[in-house]
Amino acid sequence: MSTHHGWSGAPALRVAVQLPRSARAGVVLCPPLGQEGVIAYRTLRLLADRLEARGVASVRYDPSGRGDAADDDAPDAQVRSARHAAALLRRSGVDRVAFVGLASAALVAAAAADDEDALVVWDAPASGRAWLRGQRALAAITIGADRVVDGVESLVGIDLPPAELAVLGALGFAPRTGPTVAVVRPGAAAPRALGAVEVLEVPGTAELLDGTSIDARIPEAAVDRIAARLDEWAPVSASPTVPPALVEVLDVDERVSERMVRIGPNGLFAIETVSSAQDEDAPVVLLHNGAAEHRTGAVDYQVALARTLARDGARVVRVDRRGTGESSAVRADEDTFLFAQEWVDDQHTVVAELRIPSERLAIVGMCAGAWIAGRAVDDNPRLVVEISPNDYRRTPAAPGSYAESAQAVADASPLRRALRGPYNRLVPARVRDAIARRGSLGGVVGHLDPIVEHGTDVVVVAAPEDIERFERYGGRRAVRRWGVRVSVVEVPDGDHALFSPAMRRAVVAEVRSRVAATFPTRVPVG
């Protein structure tokens, strides 16, 4: 596949353009908002691959103000970015353009498409107002009451200021004259405001979007059906294309810049953030996201953290491990390497290929990324920060096994669901914990012992639910054993997934202060 990566526009979008030498048409793949977009990342990559195989170009992107794009506080950035992505395809030699929007992105795609463009809305909400209503209900359960800070409202995976909330809430659908297809779940209907449009019922959307990123499954049948429909729409003849004019380095501000890099034999995709004010011996901070999620982190917190740490004088690398984001080829049946040795190997590859000296290395990981950071014995970092750790296994999982077990729980049989309640009610917690420790979860002391004994300082930052598990699995014993070498920071109003603004603020503050204390630089933290 021929993918061109870079930035484009002002404020800049982060784009990935898949461009055959000759293209019959082009497709703008609009990213869903918030956690929907995180979960759907690899699915949209697979759709782009299937389109390119049919001679159809595509562009995937982070809109300005989101993800790896440049900062942008304009409330219309979502729709404006989609239109810029279409213009990028046209400048590359593509004459006919279609917009595809999955879930919340269907609203953006419909607003960006002109009547001469084709439009595919996939699992679309009825309106922007309906989408916001559903997301607020979900956020009230997931995050809690303290979701609005200085007027900015936190939903699941996205922060929205008042002006952008108003713009998104006003998005909707209207009858169109251009080619329009509504892709729906079996038994569902297209948004009524679209009028009479072609409707395709496809399975698999629920398995993709209705769970967590751990048990999400790429809906290959739906991807192929949509690719085939766009193939039918595209002209038979193809036109020569020219590579897009993309910027290779993003100037975040007057001091901080970012570039995309490929690392190691598996071509791991990473973004490196640096500052012109760095010392030659600046610390290097490697950031790991949680689960099988890509480099931006929950609510883009890793992007904000990387740019802040760079201003403080650090060099920061946030990486897509195999099977996440832009790293490795996408397969519908791909394994997830949650808690597997492959991700530990990826970490070692990044450190080795970038030639990061151990005395200047800090590793910061969240959830599964925290487990990976704790396995960095051979890399001998000076500092490890484990955010929301909840698994302390010593023996790595087999590829795909953790996700399979999560799916088994999500898809539990009626008998298993019936037995789960009595088991939790009748078996004492200490016994259940002992059974779990004998299985895969292990204990804190065994997890931390190799790295602490090797000379690494460890900081655990977690919400109460993860602190409680940390203590149940021997965390207090670990703190007593190593004293100041292991420290624990509880965030009383935080959450495991970092969706809450309080948790993200605490994480950023703690990481900044620990990096500054461990690696003093000439750039003050303030």
Side-chain angles (χ1 to χ4, degrees):
M1 298 298 173
S2 51
T3 305
H4 304 269
H5 291 281
W7 286 273
S8 177
L13 288 65
R14 195 278 306 178
V15 298
V17 184
Q18 292 193 215
L19 202 63
R21 290 185 179 180
S22 294
R24 299 162 51 217
V27 177
V28 178
L29 298 172
C30 300
L33 305 176
Q35 190 67 2
E36 292 174 336
V38 172
I39 292 174
Y41 198 105
R42 300 282 283 184
T43 293
L44 294 181
R45 268 196 65 193
L46 182 64
L47 178 55
D49 289 349
R50 298 291 166 88
L51 290 170
E52 186 177 356
R54 290 168 165 83
V56 177
S58 68
V59 56
R60 296 174 290 109
Y61 65 93
D62 290 340
S64 58
R66 303 288 174 191
D68 297 314
D71 294 335
D72 187 1
D73 57 6
D76 65 341
Q78 291 281 346
V79 175
R80 174 167 41 80
S81 295
R83 289 173 176 159
H84 179 87
L88 191 63
L89 284 175
R90 292 187 174 101
R91 290 197 297 270
S92 298
V94 174
D95 292 327
R96 298 189 65 186
V97 171
F99 289 80
V100 174
L102 168 62
S104 50
L107 296 160
V108 176
D114 292 330
D115 277 339
E116 60 266 26
D117 301 323
L119 174 65
V120 177
V121 296
W122 178 5
D123 199 43
S127 65
R129 183 179 299 178
W131 180 79
L132 280 176
R133 186 166 56 247
Q135 290 298 304
R136 281 171 168 153
L138 182 61
I141 298 170
T142 304
I143 302 173
D146 299 328
R147 298 187 298 104
V148 181
V149 178
D150 297 329
V152 177
E153 183 173 354
S154 289
L155 301 178
V156 177
I158 189 169
D159 286 348
L160 294 171
E164 191 172 8
L165 277 167
V167 169
L168 293 175
L171 292 178
F173 301 104
R176 286 173 36 86
T177 58
T180 305
V181 178
V183 179
V184 302
R185 304 181 188 204
R192 294 178 60 184
L194 277 174
V197 297
E198 180 183 354
V199 177
L200 294 179
E201 286 193 4
V202 299
T205 305
E207 290 76 9
L208 172 65
L209 292 180
D210 289 359
T212 68
S213 60
I214 292 175
D215 53 24
R217 285 166 267 184
I218 295 177
E220 184 176 23
V223 167
D224 283 341
R225 188 88 177 272
I226 293 167
R229 186 64 188 86
L230 289 165
D231 184 27
E232 294 170 0
W233 161 80
V236 174
S237 60
S239 300
T241 60
V242 295
L246 302 180
V247 175
E248 295 183 358
V249 176
L250 173 68
D251 291 324
V252 176
D253 55 32
E254 66 277 2
R255 287 194 308 172
V256 174
S257 61
E258 294 186 330
R259 69 185 182 104
M260 302 174 187
V261 293
R262 289 283 184 180
I263 302 172
N266 291 305
L268 301 177
F269 183 91
I271 292 188
E272 183 181 44
T273 309
V274 299
S275 168
S276 59
Q278 282 176 6
D279 292 337
E280 289 186 3
D281 60 348
V284 182
V285 183
L286 174 59
L287 299 182
H288 285 301
N289 198 15
E293 299 178 3
H294 62 285
R295 64 202 168 273
T296 65
V299 201
D300 301 336
Y301 98 92
Q302 288 202 153
V303 181
L305 176 58
R307 294 172 181 178
T308 300
L309 287 171
R311 294 184 188 102
D312 293 342
R315 173 187 171 201
V316 188
V317 179
R318 40 196 172 86
V319 63
D320 288 345
R321 304 176 297 269
R322 273 176 281 179
T324 71
E326 296 292 332
S327 290
S328 62
V330 183
R331 302 194 331 265
D333 61 346
E334 62 187 9
D335 287 329
T336 58
F337 298 109
L338 281 155
F339 303 105
Q341 183 63 37
E342 281 79 354
W343 280 357
V344 179
D345 295 342
D346 287 346
Q347 174 175 255
H348 182 68
T349 295
V350 172
V351 174
E353 292 287 327
L354 297 182
R355 299 180 179 178
I356 305 172
S358 60
E359 67 271 13
R360 293 197 280 119
L361 174 62
I363 304 179
V364 179
M366 180 262 183
C367 190
W371 179 82
I372 298 167
R375 307 290 294 186
V377 177
D378 293 339
D379 303 308
N380 196 23
R382 284 273 305 281
L383 174 69
V384 160
V385 181
E386 297 196 7
I387 303 162
S388 302
N390 63 1
D391 196 298
Y392 305 101
R393 69 184 66 215
R394 292 291 300 276
T395 302
S401 63
Y402 189 92
E404 288 172 1
S405 64
Q407 288 177 2
V409 173
D411 301 336
S413 66
L415 176 60
R416 183 169 180 173
R417 288 196 299 269
L419 292 175
R420 188 182 298 158
Y423 174 81
N424 291 336
R425 190 168 60 251
L426 298 175
V427 178
R430 65 182 182 276
V431 176
R432 298 199 307 270
D433 292 343
I435 293 172
R437 282 196 294 272
R438 288 175 58 193
S440 61
L441 288 180
V444 174
V445 173
H447 167 70
L448 292 181
D449 184 74
I451 193 167
V452 176
E453 293 296 333
H454 219 254
T456 299
D457 291 333
V458 177
V459 181
V460 173
V461 185
E465 60 182 300
D466 290 319
I467 292 293
E468 192 269 340
R469 172 168 285 197
F470 175 84
E471 293 180 347
R472 276 194 289 123
Y473 286 87
R476 291 184 179 180
R477 179 181 165 214
V479 172
R480 288 195 303 268
R481 178 169 181 170
W482 292 301
V484 296
R485 301 294 303 282
V486 175
S487 56
V488 180
V489 178
E490 181 174 355
V491 185
D493 48 355
D495 68 318
H496 172 81
L498 274 65
F499 292 145
S500 77
M503 187 68 184
R504 281 177 275 123
R505 285 197 308 271
V507 164
V508 170
E510 197 63 40
V511 171
R512 289 183 73 193
S513 66
R514 299 288 179 156
V515 170
T518 306
F519 311 95
T521 70
R522 290 198 295 265
V523 180
V525 177

